[in-house]
Structure formats: C-alpha cells, structure tokens
Amino acid sequence: MNIILLIPSLEKSFNSNYISYKHITDNFKSKIMAFTAIDCFIKAKTLLAEKEKDGDLEIFRFKNFNDITRRPSLTNYIYNKIEKRVFDFEPDVIFCSNSYSLPIAIKLKKKYKIPIVLLTEFAYNPDNPLLSLNHKNLRLVKYLNLNLINKTASLIHWIWISSYADSIITCSPGDFQRDSFFNRFSTPMNYIPWPSFNPNNTDYSKKNLKQMCYIGSLSENKNLPEFKFLLPTILEKTKINKIFIVGNGPYLRLVEDLKSKYPKNIFHFKS
C-alpha cells in the first residue's frame, strides 16, 4: 500500500510517532510519502532537512506547511509542491493527521480518487465546542458569552470534516461515549485512546504508586526547564521514589544532570 501522510511535524529525534510510521513501512509492505513542516521551532532550534529517506519512509519538508489555517492562500501553493512528488507514487490512501491539512487532502482525493483517513485529537463536543476547532485564535473567545456561536461553528466544522473524510480516528477519552451522536453521520469513526488514558475499571491497588514516568520530547514547550526544580521537589515532598524519563531533545543535558544528582531515583532512556 502506498500512503500519503500529511503531518505537522515528523522527525525521529523528537517525534515518537515516527516509530509508528516506520513500523508500518517495515512490517506491512507499505510505502509512505510524508509531507510536513521544515520549520518546527517548537521542538527544533534549526530548520530540518528538506528531504529525508529512511527505507520506504520518505519525508519532504516545506516552509509554511503549518500556516494554511492562517493563510488559506497557501493551500494551492503547498498542494502544487506535493502533487509534483506524488504524481509517480500511485497512492492508495491519504492519512491526514489533523484537520489543518484537510484542504490539501481533499484536493489530492479528488485528483487520485483515493480515500482520506483523518486523525483528530478531539471530535465535536457540544459541552466544549472549541476543542474540535483547535485553533488558537478561536480559543480567545472562550471567555466571552458566545457559546451558541461556538457550538454552531464547531458543528459546521465537524459536518465539513465528516463530508470529506472517509474514516475518522479520534483520541479524546470522552468521544467514544457519544456514539449515538456520531452515528448520525455516514463517516465511520474509530476511537484510539492516548497511551496515558486509564479506563474507569483500572485497578490502582495493583500499581506501584511510588513511581512516575514522563514520556515525551525534552523541549521547552513541554516545560522541561521546570524539571530542574520540580523533580527534586517531588522526590523530597511526596511518596514518589523513582522517576523514569523517556525521550530526547534540547534539554537532554538538564535531564542527565538530574540523573547524576539522583542516581538511585531518576532514570533516563533515550527514545
């Protein structure tokens, strides 16, 4: 299977989902052509490589890839750059990792007559309508008394998503509890929880409550600078006696320093 992947960021040194896509190409006789941003300054201090190939996973990175929602005029520009590379790829499916890239996915769907699988962090939720919109500018109005407008905008957005996506994957724990609503739409929706989500029937009595684990990028946007003060405080003032850290990133040195100061309490594993 040949897969087009539209994703905000894809770099093996700090994106854990890189492993998932590499697993697909290595184990399921699939090829992935990924399109993503070159300027991911949230997690990387410098521009990433424009092109990268790792077996059957091929990555192309563009400037302004994640600016489509703020500058809709970029849609055709980015699409044309992608279409030039996809032309000889003979794709079978488009995997779109957020609704930001859906306008490009729609154009590719029409061109190649192939389905779209959309991953969205949150599905439509009338109790918190701005979650599914997931746009920083729109979230500024959450403090205003505009709930009816927010609900209407979010519902219209969800109807638009459902009308073009052939399948939807959502990750929010509350989404699977609203099956009766989502069943009104013809688009099938699957719920895949975040790894950190614990179901209600979890038996915490069998867990070791004196241990904790952080899995993620060692970057500023994850508040890693706070670890310098936070982790010693946790060890000194709570029952936690072991802290496991899994990840890599710009603040690797800080984590290694903490590990040296607390060799029996803090353990680090590079992802």
Side-chain angles (χ1 to χ4, degrees), residues 23 52 55 88 105 111 118 129 139 165-166 175 205 224 227 232 248:
H23 179 79
E52 184 178 347
D88 296 323
K111 170 79 174 180
L118 175 68
R139 288 184 179 185
D166 297 274
D175 290 341
S205 64
L224 258 292
F227 274 31
N248 201 350

Side-chain angles (χ1 to χ4, degrees), residues 7 17 22 78 89 105 174 229-230:
I7 188 168
N17 55 4
K22 189 67 172 72
I78 299 293
F89 185 58
F229 310 100
L230 177 63

